[in-house]
Amino acid sequence: MRRLAFIKKESAVVNFYGALKRFWYLNDLFGEYESENRKPQNLNSILLLCLYIRENSDYLDDLPNLNGRQKEGRRLLRMHGKKYKGKYPYQVNLDKIKERVRKLTGKEEHVIVKNIIDIQNKLMNQFLDVEMASSELGAYIQDLYDLWRGK
């Protein structure tokens, strides 16, 4: 919860695209967006961007040509937006999870195990994206602070 609060608070002041522009070698759009003063609309958008990087960075890293990698990165970003229709797929609602678990009472063992694994996967995916967003944003804020201090 603290990381989510940190992301919400700081991204209202600091442009999250600035935090992602260090991934310029994967997708040069983040630096462009920051220079145009575009910002991700909300936490949902930020988590979708982290999911995009998590899903595509290994593949893009393996492409040998920088221009080709950036072009493919832009194409994948467009496809990513269409795939998820602008909605972060791993959003966790604890009340819904509690209700889902309550409904498992008396179910067969394989149904219970499948549901628990589904819940665990959703929680893990959100954790990974929140962790990435808060780490990247925190590091970017530290970089800005260091620049301000003349380091």
Side-chain angles (χ1 to χ4, degrees):
M1 290 296 265
R2 288 192 316 245
R3 285 185 175 96
L4 286 172
F6 170 77
I7 296 165
K8 286 179 183 178
K9 178 184 172 209
E10 297 302 329
S11 65
V13 180
V14 177
N15 190 335
F16 190 75
Y17 285 126
L20 294 183
K21 72 181 175 189
R22 77 174 192 87
F23 293 100
W24 61 270
Y25 62 95
L26 300 177
N27 192 326
D28 55 350
L29 289 176
F30 303 134
E32 281 181 38
Y33 293 163
E34 183 197 31
S35 66
E36 295 168 359
N37 205 27
R38 288 175 56 182
K39 290 185 173 185
Q41 296 174 353
N42 50 36
L43 180 63
N44 180 72
S45 299
I46 289 170
L47 294 178
L48 273 170
L49 287 166
C50 291
L51 178 59
Y52 158 79
I53 291 171
R54 195 163 54 89
E55 287 182 341
N56 296 292
S57 63
D58 287 343
Y59 164 70
L60 291 170
D61 274 340
D62 289 341
L63 298 178
N65 177 290
L66 176 63
N67 290 334
R69 185 181 314 130
Q70 289 178 336
K71 183 178 179 181
E72 179 70 355
R74 290 188 295 272
R75 185 189 72 76
L76 289 172
L77 185 60
R78 284 190 301 277
M79 297 295 291
H80 185 77
K82 290 176 185 175
K83 177 180 177 181
Y84 295 111
K85 299 179 176 124
K87 184 167 174 24
Y88 181 69
Y90 303 113
Q91 193 65 41
V92 173
N93 180 322
L94 292 179
D95 291 331
K96 287 183 180 179
I97 290 175
K98 288 176 188 175
E99 183 61 30
R100 184 174 175 183
V101 169
R102 270 189 226 106
K103 289 180 179 180
L104 293 175
T105 303
K107 299 284 184 183
E108 293 182 37
E109 193 174 284
H110 73 279
V111 172
I112 294 170
V113 170
K114 181 191 179 307
N115 274 272
I116 297 301
I117 290 171
D118 287 346
I119 291 168
Q120 183 180 9
N121 286 337
K122 193 171 193 173
L123 289 168
M124 181 54 72
N125 278 297
Q126 183 175 6
F127 169 79
L128 291 171
D129 295 327
V130 168
E131 180 69 21
M132 178 186 185
S134 65
S135 296
E136 293 299 329
L137 188 57
Y140 181 59
I141 291 168
Q142 184 63 51
D143 287 347
L144 292 174
Y145 182 67
D146 288 346
L147 283 172
W148 177 76
R149 290 178 30 212
K151 289 190 168 193

